[in-house]
Amino acid sequence: KQEVTQIPAALSVPEGENLVLNCSFTDSAIYNLQWFRQDPGKGLTSLLLIQSSQREQTSGRLNASLDKSSGRSTLYIAASQPGDSATYLCAVLEYGNKLVFGAGTILRVKS
Amino acid sequence: DAGVIQSPRHEVTEMGQEVTLRCKPISGHDYLFWYRQTMMRGLELLIYFNNNVPIDDSGMPEDRFSAKMPNASFSTLKIQPSEPRDSAVYFCASQGIGEAFFGQGTRLTVV
């Protein structure tokens, strides 16, 4: 059974810092990996999608990498801002199209 | 497209009552997912459909839960009878090729 783990569970940083969120998964037979953002009381917003054949994806200040063989992904946020404060969720899409989520990392960026 | 639309946004009901949650996926998406989110258990996949056909309902917690997708533009998740432990945020998501997109969720409170 696929298990997705995110470390750290919570992170508090001063504004302007670069930071890394980690995601690991136990079964490397995945179709893709997706990073989401969730604001309190809101739904999930897709940030980045990495196909299993890709190594990384970038969008603005966000960069996500994927090492499928080792079952790891990282989300790098450059020059963090208070508006980046949210919960960040990692999810892997298994063959059979089942999307399995980690528990998330709660990020707080202090101004 | 307006994205994935869920209704109602909030539902408060008494224990024992029937609850029906509704979802309109993004047009053209082949997959539809129902998730439940709680503080204790995070995001749990309840059931998902491909081309209106249920593929995996192993996450449905009990026979009190049922889901239908009568056509490509509509799905329901029904709980009958509802119990206080069903209180959670229920999300619907749809997916075509690539990213999954989530609705804003239905916050269910069973008193």
Side-chain angles (χ1 to χ4, degrees):
Chain A
K1 179 185 172 185
Q2 178 76 266
E3 292 184 3
V4 180
T5 303
Q6 291 188 245
I7 295 172
L11 183 62
S12 182
V13 299
E15 181 177 4
E17 254 193 33
N18 303 325
L19 55 99
V20 174
L21 308 181
N22 296 291
C23 172
S24 61
F25 45 96
T26 55
D27 187 345
S28 62
I30 64 169
Y31 185 65
N32 64 42
L33 184 144
Q34 202 167 348
W35 282 93
F36 293 87
R37 168 185 173 141
Q38 186 176 28
D39 293 287
K42 304 290 187 182
L44 280 70
T45 301
S46 178
L47 296 174
L48 288 164
L49 172 76
I50 311 177
Q51 300 290 354
S52 62
S53 58
Q54 296 176 318
R55 298 286 290 183
E56 64 178 328
Q57 281 287 335
T58 298
S59 176
R61 294 182 295 107
L62 305 179
N63 176 277
S65 68
L66 174 64
D67 184 342
K68 188 180 158 186
S69 61
S70 67
R72 296 175 189 272
S73 175
T74 60
L75 178 66
Y76 176 83
I77 302 177
S80 58
Q81 303 170 357
D84 295 331
S85 299
T87 298
Y88 290 80
L89 294 143
C90 161
V92 297
L93 187 68
E94 299 183 308
Y95 291 110
N97 229 82
K98 193 169 179 177
L99 196 60
V100 181
F101 280 85
T105 294
I106 301 171
L107 173 66
R108 181 184 170 213
V109 180
K110 298 172 288 185
S111 57
Chain B
D1 200 312
V4 178
I5 299 173
Q6 291 187 246
S7 64
R9 291 293 310 278
H10 302 274
E11 177 82 31
V12 180
T13 191
E14 291 185 348
M15 182 174 65
Q17 296 297 306
E18 176 181 304
V19 175
T20 299
L21 311 181
R22 297 172 175 80
C23 175
K24 182 180 187 305
I26 292 173
S27 177
H29 280 188
D30 298 332
Y31 287 89
L32 184 140
F33 305 84
W34 281 101
Y35 286 87
R36 176 171 69 175
Q37 187 177 40
T38 61
M39 289 292 293
M40 290 293 294
R41 300 171 71 93
L43 266 167
E44 301 173 277
L45 177 64
L46 301 177
I47 184 171
Y48 74 99
F49 296 83
N50 180 24
N51 292 322
N52 314 337
V53 176
I55 302 300
D56 185 345
D57 65 354
S58 59
M60 297 285 260
E62 298 171 37
D63 290 345
R64 299 183 295 106
F65 286 69
S66 63
K68 294 182 180 179
M69 192 165 186
N71 56 61
S73 59
F74 184 64
S75 177
T76 59
L77 177 68
K78 184 179 293 186
I79 308 172
Q80 180 186 23
S82 59
E83 297 183 2
R85 59 194 168 114
D86 302 331
S87 297
V89 181
Y90 290 81
F91 286 104
C92 174
S94 73
Q95 180 190 12
I97 298 174
E99 294 173 88
F101 292 89
F102 279 70
Q104 289 298 298
T106 295
R107 182 173 296 278
L108 173 64
T109 304
V110 183
V111 297

